[in-house]
Amino acid sequence: MTRAIYPGSFDPVTFGHIDMIERSAKMVDELLVSVLNNSAKNPLFSVKERVSMLEEITNHLPNVKVTSFDGLLIDYAREMDASIIIRGLRAVTDFEYELQIAQTNRIVNPNIDTLFLTTSLEYAYLSSTIVKEVASYGGDISHFVPEKLIGRIYEKYNNKES
Ligand code: ADP
């Protein structure tokens, strides 16, 4: 059985992430979508909120499970018995950093490989940062995230302002 991990901040999840999840879920028996609890990043959504949003938008995919983790991804992958790490590449700018991480991870654990999927063209520009930027000015984010998450994202900015 092949188990893969698709790790990320998902703060918040976008159509770009969803596209990656749907495509990679087809390639493996089980896909763990794992939210990194990174205290350094000062996220907009708590890990619990991010997990819950991911669960909602992946509930049509029976082989996808949403989890969260602290610490080193490569250790978590081994702990979960996953042999593949999935990462997305949007632009050349993603490449250098991702290559370095993937190579480091292979030195730490050569049994776990990183699989890169190139972004679908329609989402090449899309990032969680862009969504937050537009939402913070009250702009239209319906092209970036599923409709049912829009209210929750705007709410964060209203709460912050009040
Ligand atoms: P991280 O903080 O780990 O970069 P993100 O939540 O920003 O977490 O992204 C998680 C993964 O999803 C990364 O591999 C990233 O390259 C990929 N990703 C993000 N947005 C897109 C997109 N629009 N298309 C394809 N992959 C994407």
Side-chain angles (χ1 to χ4, degrees):
M1 158 159 156
T2 314
R3 183 179 289 136
I5 294 197
Y6 175 42
S9 309
F10 307 109
D11 186 41
V13 60
T14 70
F15 283 135
H17 297 129
I18 296 168
D19 175 59
M20 290 280 298
I21 293 169
E22 286 175 342
R23 286 161 61 200
S24 44
K26 284 188 202 146
M27 299 177 192
V28 296
D29 297 308
E30 187 173 88
L31 179 70
L32 303 178
V33 179
S34 303
V35 177
L36 170 62
N37 188 5
N38 182 348
S39 50
K41 267 201 169 176
N42 190 20
L44 182 63
F45 288 96
S46 69
V47 169
K48 206 171 148 209
E49 288 172 321
R50 284 179 270 159
V51 165
S52 133
M53 288 191 282
L54 281 162
E55 275 171 351
E56 246 179 78
I57 57 98
T58 58
N59 63 10
H60 63 294
L61 300 167
N63 65 335
V64 172
K65 264 198 206 159
V66 182
T67 66
S68 63
F69 69 104
D70 297 291
L72 281 181
L73 169 65
I74 197 74
D75 291 341
Y76 180 67
R78 194 200 45 209
E79 212 176 284
M80 299 307 286
D81 210 13
S83 54
I84 298 172
I85 293 168
I86 309 271
R87 294 290 288 172
L89 291 176
R90 278 162 293 189
V92 216
T93 42
D94 283 338
F95 180 75
E96 211 172 322
Y97 174 74
E98 292 292 342
L99 179 68
Q100 196 179 12
I101 300 278
Q103 286 173 335
T104 308
N105 283 340
R106 264 193 71 74
I107 294 201
V108 177
N109 190 334
N111 298 319
I112 300 177
D113 254 311
T114 303
L115 188 67
F116 291 106
L117 294 187
T118 51
T119 179
S120 294
L121 274 182
E122 70 249 61
Y123 304 127
Y125 68 93
L126 186 51
S127 69
S128 300
T129 307
I130 289 286
V131 174
K132 286 183 275 195
E133 181 82 10
V134 175
S136 72
Y137 292 103
D140 178 7
I141 54 170
S142 62
H143 295 290
F144 312 146
V145 300
E147 175 127 31
K148 54 185 165 187
L149 302 184
I150 292 177
R152 256 171 280 182
I153 298 168
Y154 282 143
E155 216 172 84
K156 285 282 172 189
Y157 290 99
N158 294 335
N159 286 346
K160 278 192 167 175
E161 277 158 22
S162 57

